[in-house]
Amino acid sequence: MSLLAPFGLLALLTLPVIVVLHMVRSRRRRVVVPSLLLWQQIPLRPSTRRRRLRLTLLLLLHLIAALLIGLALAQPQIVLPWFGPHRSIAIIIDTSTSMALAEGGTTRLERARQRAATVIEQMGWQDQVVLISAGPSARLIDYGSSAERSRLLAALAGVGVEGAGSDVSGALTIAETLLLDQPGARVLWLTDGALPPPNAMDLHLPLQIEVLGTAQPNRAVVTLAARRGSSGAVYLYARLANYGTQSFRGPVRLLVDGQLSQAETVSIRPNAVVELTWTLPGSVQYIQLEFAGNDGLPLDDTATVHVDGQRPARVTLVAQAASALVRVLQAMPDVTLTVVEPATYTPDPTTDVTIFVNTVPTEWPGGGVLVINPPGSGLLPNTGTRLAEPIVTLTPAGEPLLRDVNLSGIAWGRIGMLELPDWLTPLALSGDTPLLARGRFERSEIAVWNFDLNNSPLVGRLAFPLLVVRTVRDLMPPSLPSSLTLGTPLTYKADLRATHLDVQAPDGSRQTYPLQPALPIIIEPTQAGLYRLSEWNGTQLLSAMTIPVNAGAIGEADPTPRLTSTTLGPVATTPTTQPVTVPQPLWSWLLIATIIVLVVEWFYVQRRPLVGAR
């Protein structure tokens, strides 16, 4: 114990003063007598009796109060074990796919959670713990002190495998951001060692690496791809890997649209891969490959791929005569075409793309809209017509859509002198008059072709079907990928008409995302299997799609540890110092004790007359 103001102990001189005052105070007993006349004749004699100090509760309370006040004025400090230097630790948990490998009756990830739980349960009075997951992208799970121990353990229990790769550098950045200014801070990385360590030169905190895995064999489907040929047949390619010290022989099953199509047995040498190909009929939607790996990581023994990720398109053509356009639309795969007369047209909320030829609607329907040779209207003002110039100028906005589309040397005839609203951007110009335009209005994707198909030689060129196909697909949301690797985020662009997106995970759990027009959302798959996505406009289903998520990846299929448990130190140009133990002040506690003593004294004094009266 130390004193910040030792001269405050002079206040303890009041202790003997209190004792003297208690000795000299009068102790004569009051007695009721009939008269004082007889007492006046008695001569006074000096008292020779020695006064003795009587130990009373009141004296004891006075002495304790004076002692506490004197000690408080000296401002004592004391070092207690539970008030010692606090520790700050960041626990980084590897959540890559290989952590799901089971060995010894439990998975590597479960062992990591148990180790992290032990650290949390052993937290001291002032210790700080930061929980970070190092999956495909680093993520802060939670952080807190011993007071939040139960919350930290609950957050730890929810940590699962997040996908291929381990962003250790990002996890270390999070740890250093939160703990770099904390004395004695360190980082604990719980991993199976299947990935290389970070560069020790980039470390700013001590890094303790605990490798939880041991060498285990694993067989996996690391690649599965499909494409449709010009004849309509589907060509499937698969790559199977055997990461082990022994040759492997096992069955492979091929399921087409959920039904068993083919089965065969494959042999793979140690630490080698085998490539397989199949040719399937063209009526295939999705293909699933099952490989009996017979190992501790069944997660990567199955892979699924979509043959056509293109969205089906419901197209309504509003025209009196457009035979060339009808032929191109009917030749497009996954397009359902409906042709209606302009006089009988009514908006259909289930239509994905509406094409108006030589007419303009009274208001823009939702979804994709293509207007060809629009007459003057309130939606597209037109001040007349003019003869188009043969030279077409592409604007920068038209490059993605019109790349490799040859529009030169075409006699466009007379075109409308359109006055484009602000939300329409010209893609191609004939002189200074828009020939092609593109824009978005509220919940409609709109394209304008400012020329007459019936009087244009464009319909006889190869550029015409190419332009039709590109425009129709551009007016619809982009296609989904044929498959995703677990942990890869999906940037999803929904239909402009959709108000919310329902996502069903492979385990049946659902999540609903509210949608804003033209704003993409990020979907992060956390499970391997088939995800089902449904777009809704209120209570009306617009479209339903599926996307497979596979766990197999070349960088994750080999679970052999490449690290050993070790500690890496940070690069320091200045000598490190031990954290200083901070003494805890006691004067506030002494004052509180003094107040308690004075309250007890007050109650004691207040009760004394009552006791005497009895």
Side-chain angles (χ1 to χ4, degrees):
M1 186 174 67
S2 59
L3 301 176
L4 292 181
F7 288 102
L9 295 178
L10 294 176
L12 297 179
L13 296 177
T14 58
L15 295 177
V17 176
I18 294 174
V19 173
V20 171
L21 291 177
H22 273 262
M23 292 180 62
V24 301
R25 73 171 186 167
S26 173
R27 289 187 175 83
R28 294 187 176 91
R29 185 163 56 93
R30 293 174 179 264
V31 179
V32 179
V33 295
S35 173
L36 297 177
L37 295 176
L38 299 176
W39 296 88
Q40 294 177 355
Q41 305 300 324
I42 301 176
L44 295 176
R45 293 182 300 174
S47 176
T48 59
R49 186 178 58 181
R50 295 185 58 186
R51 294 186 179 271
R52 291 183 302 175
L53 178 64
R54 295 178 56 192
L55 294 177
T56 62
L57 180 59
L58 190 60
L59 171 61
L60 201 57
L61 292 175
H62 286 167
L63 293 175
I64 293 175
L67 177 63
L68 293 175
I69 293 174
L71 292 177
L73 292 175
Q75 300 184 31
Q77 296 184 124
I78 190 171
V79 177
L80 298 175
W82 52 87
F83 286 125
H86 69 274
R87 297 174 300 168
S88 298
I89 181 172
I91 304 176
I92 299 176
I93 300 177
D94 185 355
T95 56
S96 59
T97 305
S98 60
M99 291 291 287
L101 189 145
E103 50 181 317
T106 184
T107 65
R108 295 174 173 181
L109 182 61
E110 180 59 30
R111 292 173 59 188
R113 285 198 296 256
Q114 293 173 358
R115 177 69 177 94
T118 301
V119 175
I120 295 174
E121 291 170 351
Q122 294 176 350
M123 290 172 58
W125 179 266
Q126 292 180 315
D127 290 354
Q128 299 284 332
V129 171
V130 179
L131 289 177
I132 305 171
S133 68
S137 60
R139 179 174 60 91
L140 175 64
I141 302 172
D142 201 354
Y143 68 95
S145 62
S146 59
E148 293 87 23
R149 182 181 286 110
S150 59
R151 193 193 72 224
L152 292 172
L153 292 174
L156 178 65
V159 176
V161 171
E162 297 180 348
S166 183
D167 185 13
V168 184
S169 298
L172 289 172
T173 301
I174 296 175
E176 292 171 356
T177 302
L178 297 175
L179 301 181
L180 192 58
D181 58 344
Q182 301 292 327
R186 64 187 181 93
V187 180
L188 173 62
W189 181 25
L190 303 175
T191 178
D192 60 358
L195 296 172
N199 188 353
M201 299 295 294
D202 297 333
L203 298 177
H204 299 282
L205 292 174
L207 174 62
Q208 178 184 353
I209 303 175
E210 287 194 16
V211 177
L212 306 173
T214 58
Q216 297 289 329
N218 183 49
R219 272 75 62 173
V221 182
V222 295
T223 304
L224 183 65
R227 69 174 184 88
R228 190 179 298 275
S230 58
S231 62
V234 175
Y235 302 99
L236 183 68
Y237 168 80
R239 177 185 290 182
L240 311 181
N242 174 25
Y243 292 102
T245 58
Q246 297 180 352
S247 297
F248 176 79
R249 181 179 176 83
V252 173
R253 302 172 69 241
L254 203 63
L255 287 82
V256 175
D257 296 335
Q259 302 296 323
L260 179 63
S261 173
Q262 299 184 30
E264 59 183 273
T265 302
V266 297
S267 299
I268 312 176
R269 297 192 306 272
N271 292 314
V273 298
V274 63
E275 297 176 330
L276 304 174
T277 58
W278 295 270
T279 301
L280 303 173
S283 59
V284 176
Q285 294 299 320
Y286 68 92
I287 304 169
Q288 182 176 0
L289 181 66
E290 295 180 350
F291 177 38
N294 192 24
D295 51 43
L297 187 59
L299 197 63
D300 57 7
D301 293 349
T302 302
T304 307
V305 64
H306 259 300
V307 178
D308 296 313
Q310 197 72 263
R311 287 172 176 254
R314 297 179 293 267
V315 179
T316 297
L317 176 60
V318 184
Q320 289 183 342
S323 56
L325 186 58
V326 170
R327 288 194 299 270
V328 174
L329 293 173
Q330 289 178 340
M332 292 179 61
D334 298 326
V335 169
T336 302
L337 178 63
T338 303
V339 181
V340 298
E341 293 286 335
T344 61
Y345 166 74
T346 56
D348 184 0
T350 64
T351 298
D352 298 310
V353 178
T354 307
I355 303 177
F356 298 91
V357 180
N358 302 328
T359 183
V360 177
T362 56
E363 62 179 13
W364 298 117
V369 179
L370 171 60
V371 183
I372 302 176
N373 193 31
S377 67
L379 296 181
L380 292 173
N382 190 335
T383 61
T385 62
R386 52 161 290 191
L387 188 63
E389 298 180 8
I391 299 177
V392 176
T393 304
L394 299 184
T395 67
E399 279 293 331
L401 181 64
L402 301 177
R403 184 180 297 114
D404 301 328
V405 178
N406 186 8
L407 300 179
S408 62
I410 298 176
W412 300 98
R414 302 194 67 83
I415 60 175
M417 299 176 65
L418 291 179
E419 295 181 357
L420 297 183
D422 295 338
W423 50 267
L424 270 177
T425 302
L427 306 181
L429 298 172
S430 175
D432 57 356
T433 303
L435 191 65
L436 302 174
R438 181 72 168 84
R440 180 183 298 117
F441 182 80
E442 295 182 351
R443 293 186 178 272
S444 302
E445 295 279 2
I446 300 173
V448 177
W449 291 2
N450 187 25
F451 55 88
D452 189 357
L453 289 180
N454 296 326
N455 298 321
S456 174
L458 176 66
V459 295
R461 291 196 174 193
L462 183 60
F464 178 67
L466 184 59
L467 184 61
V468 172
V469 172
R470 285 191 179 182
T471 302
V472 171
R473 289 305 178 187
D474 182 63
L475 292 173
M476 295 186 61
S479 303
L480 294 176
S482 59
S483 64
L484 285 177
T485 301
L486 182 61
T488 303
L490 171 65
T491 302
Y492 187 84
K493 295 182 179 179
D495 194 310
L496 288 179
R497 299 168 294 170
T499 57
H500 62 277
L501 175 70
D502 182 71
V503 179
Q504 181 179 350
D507 64 354
S509 60
R510 294 179 179 270
Q511 188 172 1
T512 300
Y513 297 86
L515 299 175
Q516 297 295 329
L519 293 181
I521 61 173
I522 304 299
I523 301 175
E524 297 183 353
T526 58
Q527 304 173 27
L530 206 61
Y531 276 77
R532 291 176 169 81
L533 289 72
S534 304
E535 292 181 359
W536 295 82
N537 183 0
T539 58
Q540 181 182 16
L541 178 64
L542 296 179
S543 63
M545 297 156 290
T546 57
I547 180 169
V549 177
N550 301 322
I554 296 178
E556 293 287 318
D558 186 2
T560 304
R562 298 172 177 84
L563 298 176
T564 57
S565 298
T566 184
T567 299
L568 303 177
V571 176
T573 56
T574 58
T576 58
T577 58
Q578 295 296 328
V580 179
T581 302
V582 180
Q584 303 299 314
L586 296 181
W587 63 269
S588 57
W589 298 100
L590 295 174
L591 289 181
I592 293 174
T594 302
I595 294 173
I596 295 174
V597 171
L598 294 177
V599 170
V600 173
E601 178 190 4
W602 183 84
F603 277 105
Y604 175 74
V605 172
Q606 293 299 317
R607 288 180 56 87
R608 286 184 63 188
L610 296 176
V611 175
R614 292 177 185 173

